[in-house]
Amino acid sequence: MTIRKAVILSAGKGSRLLPLTENRPKCLLDCSGKTLLEWQLDALFSAGVEEAVIVTGFRSDLVDALVAARPDRRARTLYNPFYHVADNTGSVWMAREEMKEDFLILNGDTLIGPDIVRRVIDNATAPITVTVDEKPAYDDDDMKVLRDGDRLLRIGKTITECNAESIGFLAFRGQGPAVFVDAVDTLMHGPEGVSSWYLKLIDQLAPLGIVSTTSIHGMEWQEVDFLPDLDAAQKLTARWREAGR
């Protein structure tokens, strides 16, 4: 069964990519003739997603203009006025009314193709599913994951034991949306709300046994945080272009 809605978290400025992001949000950086956001939208829609809600912040006017110009009219924006003072849980909280059915969350700096979207939708049977990849070693900036089989035990940048990394793409089904939104709302009513990543909540929900993982090992994706990442993303999308995507 497909998932019809996706929420893309694209409010941040992307300060680690300065000067390229001085007047342009990270999601609008060019990757082989299309912006990162356009690659994301095309991947989601090609895989059967019907609607995308893009949470914006820095230079929201530019994202609004790009979305308004798309002929498919299946994407819309939602402005987060707190983007400059809150981490991405604030963006999730702003979009909580969009999370009353099965949905996907995609970080605004994660480049994926429709093959990954299909894999995640097909394999997401748990209330919450975290998309992961594996590699020989993990660094301090990786969102590390500890699994027991497919079950997620821990997720976070500072955990000391791990066997995968999150790529920034999650699926929520059944009771998952309500459980997640309740946890987001509780966190945002406390002192740590504006300074927390939403994956902190996934870590807290893991002991309930409702968080699973699906691996996309061997499939092509790219996180865009630093200038070398952008170069890698541009090379990846150039290959996709040559392959007719």
Side-chain angles (χ1 to χ4, degrees):
M1 186 171 64
T2 190
I3 296 178
R4 62 171 300 274
K5 180 181 284 188
V7 176
I8 306 177
L9 305 180
S10 297
K13 180 175 182 178
S15 58
R16 291 184 287 190
L17 286 164
L18 286 169
L20 297 178
T21 53
E22 184 174 357
N23 293 300
R24 177 175 297 274
K26 185 197 302 189
C27 66
L28 296 189
L29 292 177
D30 180 78
C31 293
S32 305
K34 293 199 302 190
T35 64
L36 174 57
L37 177 58
E38 287 174 297
W39 282 106
Q40 291 180 316
L41 292 173
D42 290 346
L44 291 165
F45 296 150
S46 294
V49 174
E50 298 175 11
E51 179 184 8
V53 179
I54 305 146
V55 185
T56 63
F58 176 67
R59 289 309 307 267
S60 60
D61 57 313
L62 297 179
V63 184
D64 291 343
L66 181 143
V67 170
R70 286 183 64 89
D72 51 41
R73 304 295 183 186
R74 290 191 285 171
R76 53 191 171 87
T77 58
L78 176 65
Y79 180 62
N80 173 14
F82 313 111
Y83 74 91
H84 58 295
V85 295
D87 280 329
N88 61 13
T89 303
S91 286
V92 172
W93 187 79
M94 288 297 299
R96 65 196 184 281
E97 293 299 319
E98 306 290 344
M99 300 175 178
K100 294 183 176 180
E101 59 185 283
D102 294 354
F103 71 97
L104 304 166
I105 280 185
L106 177 60
N107 288 356
D109 57 4
T110 299
L111 174 68
I112 55 174
D115 53 342
I116 289 179
V117 181
R118 293 188 193 100
R119 168 76 65 86
V120 171
I121 290 175
D122 289 346
N123 291 356
T125 57
I128 302 172
T129 301
V130 178
T131 308
V132 301
D133 198 2
E134 301 96 33
K135 59 184 181 180
Y138 302 91
D139 59 41
D140 291 343
D141 200 54
D142 290 331
M143 186 58 70
K144 293 174 280 292
V145 168
L146 178 63
R147 301 168 296 170
D148 180 9
D150 289 334
R151 180 182 174 185
L152 185 138
L153 302 179
R154 293 293 314 276
I155 183 169
K157 289 190 175 185
T158 61
I159 63 175
T160 56
E161 183 182 359
C162 66
N163 50 24
E165 67 170 325
S166 168
I167 76 165
F169 188 35
L170 286 77
F172 299 79
R173 286 192 186 273
Q175 65 172 319
V179 172
F180 179 61
V181 169
D182 285 349
V184 170
D185 199 52
T186 299
L187 180 64
M188 288 299 292
H189 278 80
E192 296 184 356
V194 296
S195 61
S196 297
W197 299 92
Y198 74 90
L199 288 176
K200 176 180 180 179
L201 294 172
I202 302 300
D203 186 58
Q204 293 174 354
L205 293 172
L208 300 179
I210 62 172
V211 186
S212 185
T213 64
T214 189
S215 174
I216 49 87
H217 187 62
M219 305 174 80
E220 292 186 310
W221 67 282
Q222 180 65 49
E223 184 179 29
V224 182
D225 268 334
F226 302 96
L227 290 172
D229 298 334
L230 179 60
D231 181 64
Q234 291 169 339
K235 290 177 179 176
L236 173 57
T237 51
R239 292 199 302 273
W240 287 351
R241 283 284 201 189
E242 291 177 1
R245 286 195 187 179

